[in-house]
Every structure is written in C-alpha cells, then in structure tokens.
Amino acid sequence: MALERPNFEVIQKAGDVEIRNYAPYQVASCDVSDIEDLRQASSYGFQYLFNYISGQNAKSQKISMTVPVQQKPSAGGWRISFVVPSDVTNSGAPLPKSSRVEIEDVPGGLVAALTYRGLWNTKKFEELQGELIAKVGELGYQPVGEAFSAVYNPPFTPPILRHNEVLIRVKKAASRAK
C-alpha cells in the first residue's frame, strides 16, 4: 500500500530536478534545537511525531503514516515534520498532547526538488542544497526561504533503494531589461 504524500503537479523537469506546484497541506512538526546533525535530529524528533500519530493527541486518534518526513534547518538544529493525511486535515487535525508538537498549514506554491538515492545526512544535504540552488537559477527561478530535506523510506531500507529529496520554495525570476 502506498503512503499518502502532498499533492503536486510537475511543471518543469531537468535531470534530477523538478519544479512542482504543490497544493496546500498540513504538517505536524517538532523542533529539535539542541542537535545539529540531521539524522540524529530527525530520529529524535520523529519519536514525538510518532507518538502524536499513535494516539497521543486530544482525540486519542490513530493517524496514518504519510511521506515524506521533512527536515528543515532551524536555530541550532532542525524542525522535523510529517504530512498530516488529507482525511485528517479535512476533519480537523487533533491537537497534540505534547507541547513539542505543533500542527502547521503549509501554503501551496512552487517548489524545486532534487531527487537522489542513498544515505541522507547533514553533509549530503548541504552539498545537494548548493547544487539545487544553482540549478534553480539555470531554470529561471529564484529560491525563496530555506532549503529542506525530505525522506521517503524507513531507516532499514537499503541505501540504493531510498528515495530522498532536497527542496526549496521558488518563484519565477524577474526578467532582465535589455
């Protein structure tokens, strides 16, 4: 069974980079401000998110797992998020019991995504973030905000089979006057 993911339409593709137009969606998020390593922060923060979807919320509701798990740099660490399923969003996501978990609305819009396989870590994220930003410019777009990481597979998945992405919101670059 495939896990739900945010809805988007690919509007441009160049190699491993796609420009996507995302529909709005919700995420449950947890700040991990005391761990700078991407993988460690993700593992730590995911435990709070897993508790939320396992029923530690105001409705004691079990919530289906979705993909991807997202990691966004924050002050001194990372903000770890997972997508709230559309049926839960539509009926009203239950409030988390943990003060560390927040429900957030993510606006729709243009996002550039660089897909890759293999291990994901801070070094890989930083390397691919630079590659993505360069490609975004080549495609006629400008980055908006911070890049973030998205992981689609459980940690026990062999690296060659993993689907990971580095993403950043973008806007069309202003045309230059001649």
Side-chain angles (χ1 to χ4, degrees):
M1 177 171 83
L3 299 177
E4 184 178 342
R5 62 181 66 201
N7 289 324
F8 64 85
E9 175 186 358
V10 176
I11 60 171
Q12 188 173 356
K13 185 168 176 56
D16 292 335
V17 174
E18 294 179 341
I19 304 297
R20 302 171 177 170
N21 188 18
Y22 275 85
Y25 60 96
Q26 278 189 327
V27 293
S29 299
C30 175
D31 275 322
V32 181
S33 58
D34 50 347
I35 301 175
E36 292 184 19
D37 179 76
L38 171 65
R39 290 181 69 180
Q40 289 177 346
S42 185
S43 179
Y44 181 79
F46 183 76
Q47 291 305 309
Y48 288 96
L49 300 175
F50 183 77
N51 290 341
Y52 171 74
I53 67 172
S54 295
Q56 290 186 17
N57 55 63
K59 296 180 183 176
S60 298
Q61 177 181 355
K62 292 192 185 290
I63 299 171
S64 299
M65 185 64 200
T66 60
V67 291
V69 175
Q70 301 173 346
Q71 304 89 25
K72 189 172 203 172
S74 67
W78 296 87
R79 186 156 182 87
I80 312 304
S81 304
F82 86 88
V83 178
V84 175
S86 57
D87 64 330
V88 175
T89 297
N90 293 339
S91 64
L95 294 175
K97 287 186 178 176
S98 171
S99 61
R100 293 201 61 158
V101 177
E102 298 176 326
I103 304 300
E104 301 175 281
D105 292 322
V106 178
L110 296 177
V111 174
L114 171 62
T115 301
Y116 68 99
R117 298 215 175 268
L119 297 175
W120 54 277
N121 55 43
T122 306
K123 182 179 177 186
K124 188 75 168 176
F125 171 75
E126 290 170 353
E127 171 190 319
L128 293 177
Q129 172 183 276
E131 187 178 320
L132 177 60
I133 290 171
K135 190 66 171 179
V136 161
E138 291 172 18
L139 294 173
Y141 293 87
Q142 292 178 299
V144 177
E146 296 285 327
F148 58 101
S149 175
V151 177
Y152 288 80
N153 304 101
F156 56 80
T157 303
I160 194 68
L161 299 177
R162 292 182 186 178
H163 172 192
N164 307 308
E165 297 174 338
V166 175
L167 304 105
I168 192 164
R169 287 191 168 271
V170 295
K171 66 179 181 180
K172 230 10 187 165
S175 58
R176 296 182 179 153
K178 294 185 179 184

